[in-house]
Amino acid sequence: MTASVVRALADVARDAAHLPAPRQACRACGRDESVLADRADGAVVRHGDAVAKAHAPGTDLDGHRVRLAVAAHPRLAGILLPPLPLHVRDVRGRPVTAWPYGVPVDPADPDAAPWEDAAVLLARLHSIEPAVLPAPLPPMRGPAKAALAHARMRTAAAHHPAAATVQRAWDRLPAWARNEAPSPRTGTLCHGDLHLGQLVRHPAPAGPWLLIDVDDLGLGDPAWDLARPAAWYAAGLLPPEIWQRFLGAYTAAHGPAVTGDGDPWPQLDVPARALTVQTAALALAKSAAEHRDLDEVEQTMIDACARIAALPPELEFESPS
């Protein structure tokens, strides 16, 4: 967006968290706005204890309003970070929201990653009865994001030698996982884009972990929220002991995505494959845009796509790739 990220997102949405006018706030607290992200799909600016986000162009405004109302609902207290009130509603036509600042997961300390906390938060989210929440709840956008990643690869990296491998894996997914048909499981409140970057401690610096980012929140298959760690585990990127800690915490908290006393993979298989393809497609698009070779992790996801593409039909959707 730039132009100093459109004046630091209307200076953190003007009066988020009842801050005084932005320039006065800067003088009062001695802090400048800091840009945390400036991407096509989201720009994020922090000022003191408030964070403002400009959401993606073309955001579905009706669904966006319902998602915000869900995040603010008392039934989601202790699960989702609630939004702050604000007066500035958009920046250059993009909807803007404001949130309390929370301390994110430290990528430099992987041993402290809160896998169990994430699993319990998901189990609690998945157990909320949708009928008590604001309506109409939109569909969870996980499959839509996978389709966007695939389209981005087709545009940016169609001639990459690995693109055909990723395409074959994509073609093996069922229509619902490609966002071409409704999901067979639609009655559960889902986050839609779970990864460790979607957790913060609030109040900072040592409050409980909470989920953030409701852009993809909605009704769908709860297994999708477990799919990224499942895909990493199947590809060999997530150690089995961490996967078992995550999955064990989820089932102990009575999460409904998988059965607690049997093989979880029948429920996880399709979403895990879809996240594998999504990750590989984005890796190809980014490497092409940056004119670089794939790194080791990105190549591992391409290799996982090759295994998905090579599976015989009788083994589709029955075991980890």
Side-chain angles (χ1 to χ4, degrees), residues 244-259:
Q244 291 300 331
R245 281 168 42 202
F246 173 79
L247 186 64
Y250 181 84
T251 56
H254 308 291
V258 296
T259 57

Side-chain angles (χ1 to χ4, degrees), residues 2-321:
T2 328
S4 245
V5 197
V6 192
R7 290 283 70 79
L9 290 183
D11 284 276
V12 192
R14 210 69 78 212
D15 61 348
H18 310 292
L19 289 172
R23 300 303 174 202
Q24 295 170 356
C26 290
R27 288 196 297 270
C29 73
R31 302 170 186 164
D32 293 328
E33 289 96 356
S34 57
V35 177
L36 304 182
D38 187 12
R39 304 185 305 271
D41 63 345
V44 183
V45 172
R46 177 189 175 189
H47 176 93
D49 293 330
V51 174
K53 178 177 181 178
H55 298 261
T59 295
D60 169 29
L61 296 182
D62 290 336
H64 176 74
R65 282 190 287 267
V66 175
R67 290 180 171 109
L68 282 182
V70 169
H73 195 278
R75 290 294 297 271
L76 275 299
I79 301 174
L80 287 174
L81 187 72
L84 296 170
L86 75 171
H87 293 314
V88 175
R89 299 294 179 182
D90 70 87
V91 169
R92 289 189 177 172
R94 293 165 61 168
V96 173
T97 53
W99 308 83
Y101 174 74
V103 177
V105 175
D106 183 359
D109 188 9
D111 291 337
W115 288 106
E116 290 93 340
D117 298 270
V120 171
L121 287 169
L122 284 181
R124 293 176 60 197
L125 180 75
H126 295 164
S127 300
I128 298 291
E129 176 53 56
V132 306
L133 299 176
L137 278 164
M140 177 267 291
R141 293 187 66 254
K145 293 197 73 168
L148 286 171
H150 172 253
R152 183 174 168 186
M153 179 195 76
R154 294 289 298 270
T155 299
H159 301 297
H160 193 288
T165 297
V166 179
Q167 181 64 48
R168 287 195 299 273
W170 176 260
D171 292 339
R172 298 291 294 273
L173 296 172
W176 74 266
R178 301 194 304 261
N179 201 40
E180 296 171 1
S183 170
R185 301 175 74 184
T186 59
T188 301
L189 182 65
C190 303
H191 182 275
D193 188 29
L194 190 280
H195 53 80
L196 290 177
Q198 305 287 35
L199 291 109
V200 297
R201 283 192 180 278
H202 178 75
W209 291 104
L210 297 173
L211 293 170
I212 62 170
D213 190 354
V214 296
D215 286 4
D216 304 306
L217 186 84
L219 296 179
D221 183 349
W224 200 279
D225 284 344
L226 281 64
R228 187 173 269 105
W232 291 350
Y233 161 67
L237 294 174
L238 188 69
E241 59 272 19
I242 294 180
W243 167 246
Q244 291 300 331
R245 281 168 42 202
F246 173 79
L247 186 64
Y250 181 84
T251 56
H254 308 291
V258 296
T259 57
D261 55 355
D263 180 7
W265 213 262
Q267 290 81 38
L268 295 174
D269 189 37
V270 169
R273 294 187 191 202
L275 261 293
T276 299
V277 178
Q278 175 181 324
T279 304
L282 286 176
L284 289 182
K286 290 178 180 178
S287 66
E290 297 165 5
H291 306 289
R292 61 170 176 81
D293 294 332
L294 295 168
D295 64 28
E296 184 177 356
V297 171
E298 292 169 334
Q299 185 60 53
T300 296
M301 300 312 287
I302 301 295
D303 294 343
C305 285
R307 293 195 294 276
I308 292 171
L311 280 172
E314 62 269 20
L315 294 182
E316 281 192 335
F317 318 135
E318 293 184 2
S319 64
S321 55

